[in-house]
Amino acid sequence: MQRPVVAVRYNNTAREAALTLAELGYAALPVLDHDDRLVGVVTSGDLLRAGDLNDPVDAVMTAPAVSVPGTAVLVEVMNRLVTHGLRSLPVVDANDRVAGMFSRGDALRIMLTPDDVLAGEAQYLLDRYIGARRWHVTVDEGHASISGRFADESERRIAVALTHTVPGIHTATIATTPAATIAIAPVAETTPAAAAVH
């Protein structure tokens, strides 16, 4: 998401909001009350419909604002963007204060992240958890495969869960490898003649 947050107050004029949108090229701005809490969103469409740019922002904004919590998963955020026909929406914390703005462009950048970048992000999480490169992750078209030494089933679940937190990774599984084949050298037969040689 985009940070720092650029916002307007509910009592700013629509003209001030229009100037900010024009200068920054944003699709929308969050509107905050006197306690910095989200009360609405003002878009270029809102301002065009307003007609009089001398009105306060709260007279022309869209309210209540469609927003998502900072803990929302990517699928939920994208669904809200598409369902409500929005180009961007505010991301809020537990106190309804805006932590950032998430746009369709942000979503596309995540979707188009190359597999090797996804693998690097997942590997970083795994290495940070386990302390050494005991586990190795590869990614193919958003599907992650984790290999390495696992002490038990709990570690396997942790590795999968950590890898799955990387935005853009669709599935995460433990690589299955066939049991290792141990080559045993044939035992040479001892013949009487060989036994006689010292």
Side-chain angles (χ1 to χ4, degrees):
M1 63 182 175
Q2 298 165 12
R3 297 178 186 174
V5 178
V6 177
V8 291
R9 299 282 180 185
Y10 70 99
N11 55 357
N12 283 136
T13 65
R15 185 177 304 279
E16 290 172 314
L19 286 170
T20 303
L21 284 174
E23 287 171 6
L24 300 176
Y26 288 174
L29 294 172
V31 181
L32 310 181
D33 66 11
H34 59 278
D35 290 322
D36 290 337
R37 289 188 172 87
L38 181 69
V39 292
V41 170
V42 62
T43 67
S44 53
D46 292 330
L47 296 168
L48 290 172
R49 286 188 293 272
D52 187 355
L53 293 182
N54 293 316
D55 287 337
V57 169
D58 64 355
V60 301
M61 68 183 184
T62 299
V66 177
S67 63
V68 290
T71 55
V73 296
L74 179 61
V75 172
E76 180 185 353
V77 179
M78 291 173 65
N79 281 342
R80 292 202 188 182
L81 284 171
V82 173
T83 302
H84 295 278
L86 302 172
R87 290 170 58 192
S88 64
L89 75 170
V91 180
V92 296
D93 64 16
N95 296 314
D96 226 20
R97 290 187 170 89
V98 182
M101 291 290 285
F102 190 91
S103 69
R104 292 189 179 194
D106 295 326
L108 286 174
R109 279 189 288 275
I110 290 173
M111 293 171 65
L112 297 175
T113 302
D115 286 337
D116 55 345
V117 175
L118 293 176
E121 291 180 10
Q123 190 68 58
Y124 171 76
L125 292 176
L126 296 180
D127 290 347
R128 191 172 65 171
Y129 174 79
I130 206 66
R133 191 160 288 205
R134 265 180 50 200
W135 303 336
H136 179 72
V137 62
T138 58
V139 179
D140 182 21
E141 296 185 357
H143 302 287
S145 178
I146 311 154
S147 58
R149 294 179 291 109
F150 300 93
D152 51 29
E153 186 59 30
S154 174
E155 282 198 348
R156 291 183 179 86
R157 286 196 298 269
I158 290 168
V160 168
L162 283 172
T163 301
H164 210 263
T165 63
V166 176
I169 288 183
H170 309 305
T171 61
T173 56
I174 300 297
T176 54
T177 55
T181 303
I182 301 174
I184 301 175
V187 178
E189 291 184 9
T190 303
T191 63
V197 178
H198 294 286

